[in-house]
Amino acid sequence: MKYRQLALALFLSLFCVHIALADAVIAAAQQELKKQGFYTGTVDGQMGSQTGAAIRRFQIAQDLKVTGQLNQPTLDRLNIHAKPAATPVPEYVAIADIFKGGPYISVGPEMQIAAIRQAQKNLKLLGYYSGPINGSPTDSLVQAIKAWQKSARFRQSGRFDEDTLKGLDLMPN
């Protein structure tokens, strides 16, 4: 069962886009991609794997650089008049840091993001985390991990080492 949940979380977080856009712009893109037959999912304003795949299909059909992101050329071809949000500081540094020294350091980012989301859910259920369930390695998540590690009498690293992953039920069987 844990493997099935991890696989589902992995599937949902594949091809995460690193550009943060307003929900309205994403929803407009989803609507237009759906209208043109590139997107079959729900128009929900959330950037997920289906939206990223639809963007890539559209970019291929339009002979655009294939990025899976709603960059300016893609928005222009979709006739959506919005500017893409500024590229945030890459999260890969924070993701690598939170997994440093643990067994997930060498897995792909999709699996790491899925593990972060599940940890956020588990820590929220346990009362240690109150932030969003978004797969982002925020300072509040690190503090929640440390608080949980302290209560579990683990070394308070704020990282997903093997003991922490096992203790939070994040290791596949």
Side-chain angles (χ1 to χ4, degrees):
M1 187 66 177
K2 286 185 236 174
Y3 181 76
R4 198 174 283 164
Q5 290 171 335
L6 183 59
L8 177 60
L10 173 62
F11 175 76
L12 293 174
S13 51
L14 284 174
F15 307 114
C16 289
V17 177
H18 298 289
I19 296 177
L21 296 173
D23 290 345
V25 174
I26 297 170
Q30 288 171 329
Q31 186 65 44
E32 186 59 30
L33 290 165
K34 189 172 214 160
K35 181 177 153 189
Q36 293 186 32
F38 293 100
Y39 180 67
T40 59
T42 304
V43 176
D44 59 5
Q46 300 293 314
M47 183 59 81
S49 61
Q50 287 184 336
T51 303
I55 292 167
R56 284 189 295 283
R57 287 190 293 273
F58 176 79
Q59 289 169 331
I60 291 168
Q62 294 292 313
D63 201 29
L64 294 169
K65 182 177 179 184
V66 180
T67 64
Q69 298 176 357
L70 286 173
N71 54 25
Q72 196 61 55
T74 303
L75 289 170
D76 290 344
R77 290 280 177 89
L78 287 169
N79 202 25
I80 296 173
H81 303 290
K83 296 282 183 200
T87 304
V89 175
E91 288 188 353
Y92 60 85
V93 173
I95 290 174
D97 187 56
I98 205 166
F99 287 101
K100 186 176 179 181
Y104 280 21
I105 190 65
S106 60
V107 301
E110 297 88 7
M111 191 168 192
Q112 290 175 335
I113 291 168
I116 292 170
R117 280 192 180 132
Q118 191 59 51
Q120 289 168 327
K121 288 177 189 176
N122 293 358
L123 288 165
K124 188 171 268 199
L125 287 171
L126 294 168
Y128 291 95
Y129 178 72
S130 60
I133 309 296
N134 60 8
S136 185
T138 62
D139 288 335
S140 62
L141 175 61
V142 171
Q143 295 309 313
I145 293 168
K146 286 181 178 180
W148 180 85
Q149 288 171 328
K150 181 178 182 179
S151 71
R153 296 192 172 143
F154 292 160
R155 189 172 69 90
Q156 297 170 44
S157 65
R159 293 189 171 134
F160 290 120
D161 55 37
E162 188 169 351
D163 289 336
T164 300
L165 289 168
K166 285 178 182 176
L168 288 172
D169 201 24
L170 299 173
M171 291 285 284
N173 290 338

